[in-house]
Amino acid sequence: MRITVLAGGVGGARFVRGVREEVRRHRPGASVDVIVNTGDDWWLAGLRITPDLDSMLYTLSGQNDEQRGWGRVGESERVSGELQAYGVTPPWFTLGDLDLGTHIARSAWLRDGLTPSEVVRRLQQRWELGVTLHPATDDEVDTHVVIADPEAAGDDELASGERELHFQEWWTRHRASIPALRFHQHGLHRAIPSVGALDALLGADVVLVAPSNPVVSIGTILSIPGMAQAVTASPGTVVGVSPIIAGAAVRGMADACLQAIGVATDAAAVARHYGARSRVVHAESGARGLLDGWLLAEEDAAALADVEDAGIEARAVPLLMRDLDTAADLARDALDFALELRRRP
């Protein structure tokens, strides 16, 4: 069985770790490919920073700082202090010394002419991850957040009274406290899915949509031209896992992102946003909806009928990943549900 996961962020990394554990325990011979969001990436101090890919790399290799939820365990920050003293990096975005080693290696390889996919292959060779990581695209699609600013004059892409922040400034510095008018991925119009991502989708038996941010993680992956169509065309059964429990985001500030696109912070609303594969929901691109099945929390069991009314099979299961065992249990529920749907005529 070939399993492909769409993921981003800390929650996505923990879910993938659970999928790997479930495969190790109960599904020998299965393979796991992970298509990782690259919209959070940016250039800082001449280095290419890829937060979601690095979270995935560190979590799966056992190098992640579980207390903070991000960065390397046993980290120090002496170099970052020097960079901030020189005014090269902002005080609200700290790079650990061990983490900087990854960024320097990545940036050196990129300058040598390697693609991001080739760089990711090199990085993951250092540890036995048990999965194969693929950047969603080899093109730069850095996310910016459009906010209101009465004094801004606007330009070719922004109206008067609007300005942009890089997603990292909006997310890390301001903690998503400034209302977002919309999200803009620079370079998205000329991006294409990475070869590894397309191969993973078109060869999958099961496609899992991790409980990651539906807007800036999964949404950015699906916004890459051709990606949503590849999910729709996949022979794999597509099952998504809700990132919302009882009307609240499990991690992060997904509610602020959902508000910006007019979607309620609600498990059923997110399922309807993704749409059923049998229904056309992306009118502009012509792509169809994405989901065959949707897992929502037991706390949201009352919404099962709403999801199924949208043409998506649904189940209520424990969603909270408290540790490795509960993450593996969630992965088991997702995979069992997908296989159940595959057996239906």
Side-chain angles (χ1 to χ4, degrees):
M1 180 169 58
R2 187 173 185 184
I3 303 162
T4 296
V5 187
L6 277 61
V10 174
R14 291 180 175 175
F15 178 71
V16 170
R17 182 169 57 186
V19 173
R20 180 186 66 181
E21 187 65 18
E22 166 63 14
V23 166
R24 284 177 172 174
R25 293 177 180 180
H26 301 123
R27 303 174 197 267
S31 64
V32 182
D33 291 86
V34 187
I35 300 171
V36 186
N37 170 49
T38 55
D40 293 8
D41 300 359
W42 66 326
W43 286 98
L44 182 67
L47 302 175
R48 188 63 175 164
I49 315 297
T50 64
D52 282 5
L53 278 160
D54 292 345
S55 286
M56 198 72 64
L57 182 70
Y58 299 154
T59 297
L60 295 172
S61 64
Q63 302 300 311
N64 191 58
D65 186 331
E66 294 294 327
Q67 296 300 314
R68 292 191 300 178
W70 54 272
R72 295 280 292 273
V73 66
E75 189 63 279
S76 55
E77 298 173 350
R78 295 184 65 190
V79 175
S80 194
E82 286 296 291
L83 291 172
Q84 291 174 13
Y86 284 122
V88 175
T89 59
W92 47 265
F93 197 90
T94 300
L95 298 168
D97 296 337
L98 295 172
D99 194 29
L100 273 164
T102 302
H103 304 322
I104 292 169
R106 175 189 301 110
S107 303
W109 288 329
L110 289 173
R111 289 193 173 93
D112 284 344
L114 272 65
T115 67
S117 289
E118 291 168 334
V119 168
V120 169
R121 279 196 291 273
R122 285 198 180 185
L123 288 172
Q124 61 189 318
Q125 286 173 357
R126 181 175 176 185
W127 295 286
E128 180 54 54
L129 301 186
V131 310
T132 303
L133 305 179
H134 308 280
T137 178
D138 284 332
D139 301 299
E140 293 185 10
V141 291
D142 298 17
T143 299
H144 288 69
V145 185
V146 180
I147 64 171
D149 182 350
E151 298 182 359
D155 55 28
D156 292 341
E157 296 184 343
L158 298 175
S160 177
E162 295 180 345
R163 68 180 177 93
E164 282 188 346
L165 300 176
H166 191 282
F167 174 77
Q168 291 298 339
E169 182 173 1
W170 182 74
W171 188 260
T172 306
R173 180 183 185 183
H174 297 289
R175 307 300 296 168
S177 62
I178 303 174
L181 301 179
R182 61 186 180 278
F183 300 96
H184 177 204
Q185 284 80 25
H186 286 210
L188 186 64
H189 64 286
R190 59 177 178 270
I192 59 173
S194 69
V195 172
L198 285 179
D199 177 73
L201 286 170
L202 298 180
D205 298 298
V206 172
V207 178
L208 301 179
V209 181
S212 302
N213 191 304
V215 183
V216 294
S217 291
I218 303 300
T220 299
I221 294 173
L222 296 174
S223 294
I224 296 165
M227 188 71 83
Q229 290 86 342
V231 176
T232 301
S234 175
T237 303
V238 183
V239 169
V241 180
S242 174
I244 306 298
I245 298 178
V250 179
R251 291 190 62 86
M253 297 154 283
D255 52 345
C257 300
L258 288 166
Q259 182 179 357
I261 65 168
V263 175
T265 306
D266 174 84
V270 174
R272 290 193 299 270
H273 169 67
Y274 287 143
R277 275 218 275 188
S278 61
R279 302 189 180 190
V280 176
V281 294
H282 300 287
E284 292 184 2
S285 67
R288 302 177 72 84
L290 303 170
L291 298 175
D292 298 309
W294 184 243
L295 292 184
L296 41 72
E298 293 172 313
E299 296 90 329
D300 295 314
L304 285 169
D306 290 344
V307 176
E308 293 181 343
D309 284 345
I312 303 166
E313 294 287 336
R315 295 286 185 277
V317 301
L319 288 193
L320 197 59
M321 296 181 287
R322 296 184 300 274
D323 50 31
L324 182 59
D325 286 338
T326 51
D329 288 345
L330 176 56
R332 178 203 61 210
D333 289 337
L335 289 169
D336 284 350
F337 188 24
L339 294 176
E340 175 192 334
L341 295 176
R342 283 183 71 79
R343 288 192 292 268
R344 294 185 183 179

